[in-house]
Each structure stands twice: as C-alpha cells, then as structure tokens.
C-alpha cells in the first residue's frame, strides 16, 4: 500500500472561504519539511486518523488531532473558529485506489466512528472502534485488511469459535512511528488489547513465522488436553460410584489417564469386593442364573390348584398398575419428542434473530438512516425493492432501529434462557422414563410369577419361591446392566486415550516448525545488522556482531546485545542516538523483507537525540533506494548558521541518484499549522 494524498477541509465562522491543506506523496522517499510547530505533525496525525489508527497516538477519535483542525487556527494574523472539518486520505495498492473521508467536527454531529470510502466512483460507509469492525462486511478494518492484502491470523478455540490473535492496530506500529513516544522503544505506540507478547506476535506475523499460529494452536491443544483428562475423570468416577454401591471393584484401569494403555483398558474386569477368592462379574452372574434355575425346578414339583381369590385379586391390581405406568410412559415420551422439536425450531429462530441483530446494529453504527423526506425505493437493511404502499408506510411509521434492536435482543434472551434449561429438562424426562420403564418391567415380572401360583399345595412355598426368583432376576438384571455400562465406559475411555495420544503427537509436531522459523529470523537479523555497520548508519555502542535477534526469551524476536552468553537489552546497552539507529535498521528491514507489512513507513522526526549529519544522510540515501514508500518529517532547525548549513547539506546530499519528493510546508508564509484558504494551497516543491 502507498499513500497518495492527505487533505483537510475546514468551514469557519464569519467567512465564506473554505480552508485546509492538500499534501501529495509519491513512491519512494518523501520528506515533509518545515520549522517546528509549522504543521508537520498535523499532516501526519491526519494520516493516522483516516486509517483509524489514532489509538497509536494515545487517544481516541478526534482528540489526537491538533486544535487547528477542530477548534481554531490563525491565518494572516487573524484567528478563525472551526465550525465543521473533515480529513481525507487517498491510498493505492496495485490497481486499486480509494479515498477515505472522516469527520473531525460536524454540523450534524456526524459520527467520528464512521469512515466514508470512495472507490471506483462508489461511496460506502464503514464503522470502526466498535464490535465487529474486524469481522463484519460493514467494518472498516476488515475492508482495510482486504485492500492492503493482509489476512489477520485466526485460530479456532476449543469450542470451534474463531479467535483473533492480533488486530490491525497491532500491525501498524511497524509503519507509523511518531515523534514524541514512537522512538522510545520498539513498537512503543502499540495499544494494549490484552494480547500476551503482542510485540513478538507482530514480528511473527510480519515475517510469516509458523510460531504465531503454533503458539495459539498449542494453547488450544492444552485446553483440549485438559478437557479430555476431565472427561476421563468424570467417566471413571461414574462407573466407580456404581461399582461401590453394588459391591464391585475395577481391576486393570488406573484413575490417572496417563498411567493407562489401550491393552490395559481392553483387559479390564469388574470383580466382587469381598475376599481373595472373589468372583469376577461374569462368574457372579453365572452363579445367580444357576440359583434361579434350581428354584424353577423346585417350583415345578409343587402340585397345582385353582387360583385362590387372593391370587385373582392380586392379578387385577397388578394389571391396573401396569396400565397406569404404560399411560405415564406414553405421556413422558410424547413430552420428550415435543421438546426436541421445539429445540430445533427455536435454534433456527435464534439464528435468524442473530443475523437481524447484526444487520440492525451495523446500520445504527453507520448512522446510515434515510431521511424521511426521501423516496425510499429499497429496504435499508435487506435491500429488497419496496412497493409504493410499503415505501409510504416506512416514511409514516418512523422506524426506530434502536427499539427494534432492543426487542430482538429480548427475544434472543428468551431463546437462550430456554437452551440453558433444555439439557436439564431432557435429562429429567429421560430419568423419569427410565424409572417408569423399570417399574413396568417389575410389574410384568410380578404378574408372570403370580400367574404361576396355580393349584399350589403349599401356597407359602410357592410364594417364597416366587419372591426368591424375582429377587434373583432383579439381581441378574442389575448386574447385566452394570456390565453393559462398564463396556460402554471402557469404549469411551479408549477413545479418550486415543484422543490424548493424538493431542500429544500434534504438540510434538508444532515444535518441529522452529527450524524453518529460525531460517527466516536469521535472514532478518543479518539484513538488519548490515545497516548498523559504518557503511550505513554506523552504530558504535557495541560490536555490531554482538547484536542479535533470538527466537527465545528474553526480548524474543527483538534486537538484543549478546556478549559471551550474557543477553542485554539493546536500549539499555546503547547510547540514545545508537538506539535510534537500531530502530531505523529494524523498521526498514521489516519494511523491506516482511511478507505481511502494510507496505510503507512514516518516520516523524527520525533525527532524535542530536543525531549526527552523516547518519541522517545515510538514512535518507538508503530510504530512497529501498523501492518502498518512506515518509519522513524533518524540522529545519535553523536557530543558527550551523543548523542551517546542516539542513541544507542534508537535502543537497540527495542528487539524481537518490530521488526524493520534498514537501515544504513553510512555502505559505501566512499559514499557521499548514492551514490556508483553498485557493492559496501549494505545499509541494
């Protein structure tokens, strides 16, 4: 990306003329020159503001701009009060060119969180500094990323949601270095969005290192690992609780997932928790079946008689109870089916509501409301053509988007509160279902054994055998269910163990990418160090060979001084002017070789801390030959003859071999802060 032009337009009180400035830029080296307080920073801050990067200047919205653009300024000895002001920035990238317009002060209280973009004759509004400005189609930063050709790194979190690892405001500190704070440290202007090691992440992104993506993937894998381990604990605890309540113990599976193997899980068994000769679960079930068969044989040897009146009475009672349970089971199953259908319907409705909330929210942020006096031909949200009677209805009803948003959000809250309760509701229903089903099974067994009590010589013996048989049947049924549950949990535990092994394999794979990253880092380091030798910027505080960039702490991916294994902060180990030289080399090398760089740099007063003339000349010459756009603000500093000579010598060093586009903002002697009537604008040389 390159900056083509920056301008400002100001309407003032008691004067029909419009004031402002126009500054044109070219490819390669551009120098904005002027005396102190002449307006260089006013021009640069307008670039920040139009790019939505005022946070890099330590403020929000128009507060970062000079008072001359929003309150008052002087021209030809007269003070003018600003009534309305805008600033525009024209940028280009390959065959695309766009103009970004943003209000500073407005008659109509125009939103300062809106940017109007004109591209190929088409105007469209975008919002910024609000939720969705990086993701939604109406968000300015999403548009700017697409224009520059930058794809912000993203990663899926543990719930498959998209998480941004870095924002556009974290990227532009490599391109915009302002005068007061920008030279105090590397990326000193970077805003704090709660991103861990944001400076390192920026270098990773610029150099296209695998470690940026890998670090977040590693964090996601750690979350998945924690989740898998917790699921293991939950499943193991569940079966262990069942076993304890039934006098059983688990043999072959360790409570700690890391101490298990697939083979151990496969061969795991349940045993009785009684003595050394305790039976396994399978052997115990076989023993119960054998006892039941003995009782059945004994019952057959008893003489049969007609059913007594008491037996007949019990048959009627059990049949009635069985019918009641069946009726309740039908009601519960119907309720479960209804709730599941309701869940599907509500989920679909919620999705539609979320889409509508996004669209209305975007419209509100853009303040892109149609005037009621206009003839609205299309719906402002869905863009569908409206019939004539619908257009009149829209105008007459005075649609309040904010009220609509409040209503939709209240509807969304109702749906979401239902979803929170849904799982518990289904769980309760299924619990009742299971309870009633077991009761039905018991009643069927009871009825079956009562019917066997026919023509018994000894009714008490028959009933005793029936009672014992039912008891053993229930015991067998219970232990068969435990066996089934145990096999299911064993299968789940195997899957968890396999998943944990896959997670560990992926974590090991992420470590391998450090080798390819180190190659890129080494190329960057050597190119940066080349600029610190005497042939270029002439760094002298330490041996240049001792300056390095390491792929580990401390100061990972930032220049440090390393002497015999002792790593020192380059800022603390260098003179003030030498630290500035390191920053020149660092930023310009990033500009030259980075894959994901915005494509230009703005240096505001790079000659900090009484930088010597030779180093400044080297900086300008290198910048003019880098085949990238470099914009510098340089003060004339003509307090004495020596300063004047140095300034003139600096500019004269740039001959036809080192082309430079000079912008002298002192050319209009009547202007203050570079602002003048439009007909008198002429800042270029």
């Amino acid at each position: 990306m390159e900056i083509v032009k920056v301008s400002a337009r100001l309407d003032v009180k008691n004067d029909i003329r419009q004031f402002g400035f126009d500054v044109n830029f070219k490819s390669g080296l551009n120098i904005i020159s002027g005396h102190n307080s002449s307006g260089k920073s006013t021009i640069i801050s307008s670039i920040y503001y139009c790019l939505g990067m005022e946070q890099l200047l330590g403020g929000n919205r128009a507060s970062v701009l000079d008072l001359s653009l929003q309150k008052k300024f002087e021209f030809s000895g007269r003070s003018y009060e600003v009534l309305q002001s805008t600033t525009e920035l024209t940028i280009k990238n390959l065959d695309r060119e766009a103009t970004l317009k943003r209000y500073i002060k407005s008659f109509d209280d125009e939103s300062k969180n809106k940017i109007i973009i004109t591209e190929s004759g088409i105007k469209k509004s975008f919002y910024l500094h609000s939720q969705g400005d990086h993701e939604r189609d109406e968000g300015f930063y999403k548009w700017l990323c697409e224009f520059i050709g930058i794809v912000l790194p993203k990663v899926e979190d543990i719930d498959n949601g998209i998480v941004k690892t870095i924002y556009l405001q974290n990227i532009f500190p490599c391109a915009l270095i302002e005068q007061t704070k920008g030279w105090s440290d590397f990326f000193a202007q970077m805003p704090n969005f709660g991103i861990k090691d944001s400076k390192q992440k920026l270098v990773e992104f610029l150099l296209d290192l695998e470690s940026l993506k890998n670090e977040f993937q590693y964090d996601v894998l750690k979350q998945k690992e924690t989740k898998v381990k917790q699921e293991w604990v939950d499943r193991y605890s569940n079966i262990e609780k069942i076993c304890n309540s039934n006098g059983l113990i688990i043999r072959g599976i360790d409570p700690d997932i890391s101490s298990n193997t697939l083979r151990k899980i496969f061969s795991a068994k349940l045993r009785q928790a009684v003595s050394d000769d305790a039976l396994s679960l399978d052997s115990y079930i076989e023993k119960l079946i054998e006892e039941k068969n003995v009782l059945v044989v004994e019952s057959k040897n008893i003489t049969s008689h007609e059913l007594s009146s008491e037996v007949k009475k019990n048959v009627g009672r059990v049949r009635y109870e069985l019918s009641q349970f069946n009726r309740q089971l039908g009601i519960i199953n119907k309720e479960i089916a209804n709730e599941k259908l309701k869940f599907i319907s509500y989920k679909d409705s919620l999705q539609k509501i979320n889409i509508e909330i996004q669209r209305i929210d975007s419209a509100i942020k853009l303040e892109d409301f149609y005037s009621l006096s206009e003839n609205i031909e299309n719906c402002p949200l869905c863009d569908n053509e409206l019939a004539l009677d619908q257009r009149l209805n829209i105008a007459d009803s005075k649609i309040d988007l904010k009220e609509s948003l409040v209503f939709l959000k209240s509807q969304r809250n109702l749906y979401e509160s239902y979803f929170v309760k849904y799982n518990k509701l289904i769980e309760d229903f299924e619990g009742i279902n299971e309870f009633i089903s077991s009761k039905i099974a018991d009643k069927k067994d009871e009825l079956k054994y009562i019917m066997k009590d026919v023509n018994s010589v000894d009714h008490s013996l028959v009933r005793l055998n029936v009672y014992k048989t039912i008891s053993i049947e229930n015991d067998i049924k219970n232990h068969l269910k435990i066996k089934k549950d145990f096999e299911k949990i064993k299968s789940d535990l195997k899957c968890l163990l396999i998943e944990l092994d896959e997670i560990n394999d992926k974590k090991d794979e992420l470590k391998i990418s450090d080798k390819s990253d180190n190659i890129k880092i080494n190329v960057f380091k050597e190119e940066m160090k080349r600029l610190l030798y005497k042939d270029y910027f002439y760094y002298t505080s330490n041996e240049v060979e001792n300056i390095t960039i390491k792929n580990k702490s401390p100061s990972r991916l930032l220049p440090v001084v390393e002497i015999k294994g002792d790593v020192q902060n380059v800022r603390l180990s260098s003179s003030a002017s030498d630290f500035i030289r390191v920053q020149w080399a660092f930023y310009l090398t990033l500009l030259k070789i980075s894959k994901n760089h915005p494509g230009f740099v703005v240096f505001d007063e790079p000659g900090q801390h009484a930088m010597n003339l030779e180093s400044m000349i080297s900086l300008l010459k290198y910048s003019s030959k880098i085949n990238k756009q470099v914009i510098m603000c340089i003060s004339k500093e003509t307090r004495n003859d020596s300063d004047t000579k140095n300034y003139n010598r600096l500019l004269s060093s740039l001959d036809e071999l080192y082309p430079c586009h000079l912008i002298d903002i002192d050319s209009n002697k009547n202007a203050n802060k570079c602002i003048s009537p439009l007909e008198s604008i002429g800042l270029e040389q």
Side-chain angles (χ1 to χ4, degrees):
M1 186 186 96
E2 287 188 3
I3 295 174
V4 178
K5 179 181 177 181
V6 63
S7 60
R9 297 291 181 264
L10 292 78
D11 296 311
V12 300
K13 190 174 182 180
N14 300 326
D15 200 311
I16 62 172
R17 294 177 297 175
Q18 193 173 49
F19 290 75
F21 62 77
D22 288 326
V23 179
N24 294 299
F25 299 95
K26 296 182 179 180
S27 299
L29 177 61
N30 298 261
I31 296 178
I32 304 174
S33 177
H35 290 92
N36 285 335
S37 301
S38 60
K40 298 186 298 298
S41 294
T42 302
I43 295 170
I44 295 302
S45 62
S46 296
I47 295 175
Y48 279 73
Y49 188 65
C50 284
L51 290 172
M53 295 297 156
E54 61 267 28
Q55 290 166 308
L56 275 61
L57 294 173
N60 286 312
R61 302 177 181 88
S63 63
V64 302
L65 299 174
D66 192 85
L67 293 179
S68 61
L69 293 175
Q70 49 185 325
K71 294 192 178 295
K72 64 180 180 178
F73 64 91
E74 292 185 2
F75 179 76
S76 294
R78 178 184 169 187
S79 180
Y80 292 87
E81 181 183 346
V82 178
L83 297 178
Q84 177 168 279
S85 57
T86 61
T87 181
E88 293 187 4
L89 183 72
T90 301
I91 57 178
K92 70 176 182 179
N93 187 24
L94 300 176
D95 58 345
R96 293 182 67 181
E97 184 169 301
T99 298
L100 286 54
K101 178 181 178 181
R102 193 174 178 191
Y103 279 87
I104 301 170
K105 189 174 183 179
S106 170
F107 292 126
D108 305 320
D109 195 27
E110 191 74 33
S111 174
K112 298 177 181 64
N113 277 357
K114 180 173 77 174
I115 291 181
I116 303 168
I117 298 176
T118 304
E119 185 177 1
S120 300
I122 300 173
K123 286 187 179 181
K124 189 173 181 181
S125 295
F126 295 84
Y127 69 87
L128 69 164
H129 301 320
S130 189
Q131 185 177 2
D133 55 13
H134 278 77
E135 296 87 16
R136 298 183 189 173
D137 291 336
E138 302 87 353
F140 169 68
Y141 296 120
K142 181 179 181 181
W143 176 90
L144 186 56
C145 283
E146 292 173 351
F147 184 88
I148 299 173
I150 286 177
V151 179
L152 294 179
K154 302 174 184 177
V155 67
E156 287 188 357
D157 65 12
I158 190 170
D159 297 318
N160 297 321
I162 299 299
V163 177
K164 286 224 170 20
T165 62
I166 196 170
Y167 294 91
L168 205 56
Q169 294 97 316
N170 297 115
I171 294 172
F172 268 82
C174 73
L176 301 171
I177 296 88
E178 59 93 32
Q179 177 184 0
T180 55
K181 184 182 177 183
W183 298 105
S184 62
D185 202 355
F186 301 106
F187 311 128
Q189 302 162 250
M190 184 178 290
N192 181 13
F193 293 139
I195 299 174
K196 181 183 176 183
D197 300 328
S198 55
K199 293 182 179 181
Q200 284 74 17
K201 285 182 172 60
L202 172 54
V203 179
E204 288 175 318
F205 176 68
L206 294 174
L207 298 182
D208 195 30
L209 301 183
E210 292 290 330
S211 55
L212 177 61
K213 179 175 63 176
N214 290 352
E215 180 181 347
F216 283 90
Q217 287 182 338
Y218 192 85
D219 288 342
V220 171
L221 289 173
K222 288 290 289 183
Q223 294 177 46
K224 289 182 177 178
E225 180 182 7
T226 301
K227 184 178 179 181
V228 166
K229 289 182 175 180
Q230 185 58 51
E231 287 182 7
W232 174 282
V233 170
D234 293 343
R235 281 166 170 73
Y236 185 87
S237 299
N238 183 40
I239 192 63
E240 187 179 45
K241 182 178 180 181
I242 294 173
C243 291
N244 290 340
S245 61
N246 287 274
L248 299 169
I249 56 174
I250 303 171
R251 294 293 190 193
I253 303 178
D254 195 277
D256 181 9
I257 186 173
S258 302
S259 303
N260 289 276
T261 63
L262 289 175
R263 188 165 186 169
K264 286 177 66 176
I265 297 175
F266 179 80
S267 58
K269 302 289 184 182
L270 294 181
R271 300 186 69 84
Q272 286 182 293
V274 284
S275 61
D276 294 339
D277 59 345
L279 298 174
S280 67
L281 179 61
D282 289 340
S283 298
Y284 181 64
I285 293 173
E286 290 175 2
K287 179 183 177 183
L288 290 175
I289 293 173
E290 185 179 343
E291 289 179 1
K292 186 194 75 170
N293 291 335
V294 170
L295 285 172
V296 170
V297 171
E298 289 179 354
S299 299
K300 286 182 178 180
N301 294 328
I302 301 174
T303 305
S304 297
H305 295 285
E306 293 292 326
L307 286 171
S308 67
S309 60
E310 183 180 352
V311 172
K312 293 179 181 179
K313 187 176 181 180
N314 285 336
V315 169
R317 174 184 59 79
V318 173
R319 284 176 173 169
Y320 172 77
E321 291 173 349
L322 190 59
S323 67
Q324 290 295 99
F325 281 130
N326 278 316
R327 185 180 64 82
Q328 292 174 6
L329 184 63
I331 294 173
I332 292 298
N333 286 332
K334 186 176 180 181
E335 287 295 324
I336 292 175
N338 288 339
E339 289 300 328
K340 289 182 177 179
L341 289 174
K342 192 188 298 183
F343 176 84
I344 295 171
S345 174
Y346 284 2
K347 191 174 182 180
D348 182 62
S349 298
L350 180 63
Q351 186 177 4
K352 293 177 182 177
I353 286 177
N354 282 330
I355 292 172
E356 201 63 22
I357 286 174
Q358 252 193 26
R359 295 173 65 180
I360 294 178
D361 187 48
S362 296
I364 292 173
K365 288 173 180 174
L366 287 172
E367 298 182 2
D368 195 14
F369 305 160
Y370 289 87
S371 169
L372 295 178
S373 63
E374 292 179 344
N375 183 18
I376 304 176
E377 297 182 356
N378 295 80
C379 173
L381 290 178
C382 67
D383 206 37
N384 287 328
E385 186 176 357
L386 300 174
L388 181 61
D389 58 334
Q390 291 174 317
R391 300 177 199 175
L392 295 174
N393 289 336
I394 289 179
D396 294 338
S397 64
K398 297 183 180 179
I399 292 174
D400 189 331
L401 293 180
K402 291 184 179 178
E403 288 184 5
S404 299
L405 189 63
V406 170
F407 172 77
L408 287 173
K409 286 184 176 180
S410 67
Q411 292 294 304
R412 181 174 65 182
N413 290 338
L414 287 174
Y415 285 129
E416 288 176 343
S417 64
Y418 170 79
F419 294 146
V420 170
K421 299 174 182 177
Y422 171 77
N423 289 333
K424 181 64 170 61
L425 186 64
I426 292 297
E427 185 180 332
D428 291 342
F429 276 146
E430 289 178 344
I432 296 172
N433 182 302
E434 185 177 353
F435 172 79
I436 294 175
S437 296
S438 68
K439 288 296 183 183
I440 289 173
D442 290 342
K443 289 301 173 183
K444 285 181 177 179
D445 288 340
E446 187 176 351
L447 182 62
K448 180 174 66 176
Y449 286 110
I450 289 176
M451 294 299 295
K452 289 181 180 180
D453 194 4
V454 179
N455 298 323
S456 174
V457 177
D458 188 346
H459 282 254
S460 62
L461 180 59
V462 172
R463 293 190 181 109
L464 178 61
N465 285 353
V466 168
Y467 173 79
K468 288 181 179 180
T469 303
I470 292 176
S471 178
I472 293 174
E473 283 278 7
N474 289 336
D475 206 7
I476 293 172
K477 189 186 303 179
N478 180 49
H479 283 79
L480 285 173
K481 184 178 184 305
I482 293 173
K483 180 181 178 181
K484 182 179 178 181
D485 291 343
F486 182 61
E487 293 302 322
K488 174 63 170 60
I489 288 180
K490 279 173 62 175
S491 177
D492 292 342
L493 294 181
K494 289 176 189 176
C495 292
L496 290 173
L497 192 59
I498 291 171
E499 187 176 355
L500 182 63
D501 289 339
E502 291 174 351
I503 289 172
N504 289 330
D505 290 341
K506 289 177 181 178
K507 283 163 61 178
D508 292 337
E509 289 173 6
L510 294 180
K511 298 175 183 177
I512 300 174
S513 63
D514 284 346
K515 295 179 181 178
S516 61
D517 281 355
N518 288 335
I519 294 173
K520 295 179 182 179
I521 294 168
N522 191 60
V523 171
F524 172 60
K525 175 186 68 176
E526 294 304 319
E527 178 64 20
M528 185 201 74
K529 287 171 63 175
R530 186 173 70 87
L531 299 182
L532 297 178
Y533 287 105
K534 62 181 180 180
D535 294 338
Y536 288 95
F537 304 155
Y538 205 5
Y539 173 92
T540 58
S541 292
N542 296 279
E543 292 290 336
V544 175
E545 284 303 316
N546 291 332
I547 295 179
T548 187
I549 294 177
K550 305 176 76 65
N551 195 12
K552 60 182 180 180
S553 298
S555 299
R556 178 175 172 267
L557 299 179
L558 299 175
V560 293
V561 177
E562 184 176 28
I563 302 175
K564 296 182 178 179
D566 181 26
V567 178
Q568 304 168 10
N569 187 300
V570 71
R571 178 167 59 89
L572 301 178
S573 302
S574 307
S575 66
S577 59
D578 265 347
F579 180 58
I580 299 298
R581 291 183 178 91
V582 174
Q583 290 187 81
W584 290 351
F586 183 74
Y587 289 125
L588 290 173
T589 303
L590 284 174
L591 174 64
K592 181 179 178 181
I593 73 171
S594 294
K595 179 180 178 181
N596 297 312
H597 200 283
F600 70 96
V601 294
V602 177
F603 284 171
D604 192 358
E605 300 292 356
Q608 299 280 315
H609 302 290
M611 184 67 66
N612 66 47
L613 183 62
E614 288 73 19
S615 293
M616 283 296 296
I617 291 174
S618 294
L619 173 65
L620 297 186
K621 287 184 175 180
Y622 180 80
S623 299
S624 71
K625 305 294 285 186
I626 198 175
N627 294 323
K628 298 281 187 178
Q629 188 181 54
V630 180
I631 299 172
M632 296 188 189
C633 290
I634 299 179
S635 295
K636 292 180 178 178
E637 291 291 346
T638 55
R639 292 171 296 184
N640 52 56
D641 290 341
S642 176
D643 287 337
T644 302
K645 290 178 181 177
N646 283 340
Y647 174 76
N648 292 334
R649 184 182 165 194
L650 179 65
L651 294 184
S652 65
S653 68
L654 301 173
D655 52 27
E656 62 275 4
L657 295 176
Y658 303 100
C660 168
H661 177 57
L662 180 63
I663 304 161
D664 187 357
I665 62 175
D666 292 332
S667 58
N668 191 333
K669 303 301 181 183
N670 295 317
N672 177 267
K673 293 290 185 181
C674 71
I675 298 173
S676 59
L678 292 187
E679 63 268 16
S680 64
I681 289 177
L683 300 180
E684 286 192 65
Q685 281 189 357

